Amino acid sequence: MDDAGRDTPGGEQRLVTVLLTLAVPAEADAEDAAALAADAAAATALHVVHAAGVEGHLPVPGATVVRSGPHPDLRQPWTVQSLTRTSARLRDLAGDVVEVPRSSLLPDPLDA
């Protein structure tokens, strides 16, 4: 039984956080997108404990990203080494490390 008194099928359960990046129309709100993803999960019998929308791509250490911008060198894959509230430290295939604004990061299209 969960905290709300509902029966939980299959006995014991654990919480798992899944980060999901969605492409939505420009006029869509991040919270609306989170609600739609939660509805879709609930429709497949998953119990959604919490859903929140965050504007932009939310990278995690170890993820592969590309940098936004017109220069072709920015479109090479980078590995996220660490994150702060506003920046990310990235490493490229040659081992070079740069620190860039988090807002400049995009998911690697080949990793999707």
Side-chain angles (χ1 to χ4, degrees), residues 49-67:
V49 175
H50 176 75
V54 177
E55 190 67 38
H57 173 58
L58 185 62
V60 295
T64 304
V65 296
V66 295
R67 294 168 55 194

Side-chain angles (χ1 to χ4, degrees), residues 7-76:
D7 286 329
T8 53
E12 292 295 316
Q13 293 186 348
R14 61 191 177 92
L15 295 178
V16 175
T17 298
V18 176
L19 301 175
L20 174 69
T21 301
L22 301 173
V24 298
E27 55 279 344
D29 179 75
E31 285 296 326
D32 292 339
L36 288 172
D39 288 346
T44 62
L46 292 175
H47 175 70
V48 178
V49 175
H50 176 75
V54 177
E55 190 67 38
H57 173 58
L58 185 62
V60 295
T64 304
V65 296
V66 295
R67 294 168 55 194
S68 62
H71 197 277
D73 287 346
L74 297 177
R75 295 297 178 169
Q76 70 179 359

Side-chain angles (χ1 to χ4, degrees), residues 43-111:
T44 62
L46 292 175
H47 175 70
V48 178
V49 175
H50 176 75
V54 177
E55 190 67 38
H57 173 58
L58 185 62
V60 295
T64 304
V65 296
V66 295
R67 294 168 55 194
S68 62
H71 197 277
D73 287 346
L74 297 177
R75 295 297 178 169
Q76 70 179 359
W78 297 81
T79 301
V80 178
Q81 287 193 309
S82 62
L83 297 165
T84 68
R85 189 173 63 79
T86 59
S87 66
R89 183 175 294 259
L90 308 176
R91 183 177 41 83
D92 69 6
L93 296 173
D96 295 327
V97 176
V98 297
E99 190 159 329
V100 299
R102 270 189 26 188
S103 61
S104 71
L105 302 180
L106 300 169
D108 182 357
L110 300 177
D111 205 28

